[in-house]
Amino acid sequence: MATSTFLAFFMIVVGLPVILGIGSSMFKNWLMHKEKMGEALNAQTAEKAAQYAAHTERLEQRMRVLERIVTDRGIDVADEIERLRDDRAPLN
């Protein structure tokens, strides 16, 4: 009976703090990993947002050109588009 009491006492006094210490260390490592993953995801999201913003800006500029072609000076739209194509550099 004394052996089982001693074993229970030993598990509580020694085993429990060891298990809690290891568990705490593992939890801290897991939290640091999650934080790094969050930072990486934030960086990716910011990069994609910048790319989308640049793409949107280019599309808006093209729309402004098209609106100007259609609304300004009463120029024939097909002729203006062909002239703009001729102004571009070759895509070689």
Side-chain angles (χ1 to χ4, degrees), residues 17-34:
V18 169
I19 291 171
L20 291 177
I22 292 171
S24 171
S25 175
M26 290 173 61
F27 184 70
K28 286 178 187 177
N29 288 339
W30 180 78
L31 283 178
M32 287 187 344
H33 172 72
K34 293 300 271 184

Side-chain angles (χ1 to χ4, degrees), residues 22-89:
I22 292 171
S24 171
S25 175
M26 290 173 61
F27 184 70
K28 286 178 187 177
N29 288 339
W30 180 78
L31 283 178
M32 287 187 344
H33 172 72
K34 293 300 271 184
E35 184 178 338
K36 288 179 184 178
M37 293 298 290
E39 290 171 0
L41 183 59
N42 286 342
Q44 274 184 335
T45 303
E47 177 65 27
K48 283 192 180 271
Q51 289 174 357
Y52 290 143
H55 183 67
T56 301
E57 179 62 30
R58 287 191 303 271
L59 290 174
E60 287 175 354
Q61 289 174 354
R62 293 182 74 178
M63 286 298 298
R64 281 189 219 109
V65 169
L66 291 172
E67 288 172 349
R68 191 181 76 237
I69 290 170
V70 171
T71 59
D72 286 356
R73 304 179 311 263
I75 297 175
D76 186 31
V77 175
D79 291 340
E80 183 71 16
I81 290 172
E82 288 303 319
R83 187 182 65 75
L84 288 172
R85 282 187 184 149
D86 292 341
D87 289 345
R88 288 194 302 181

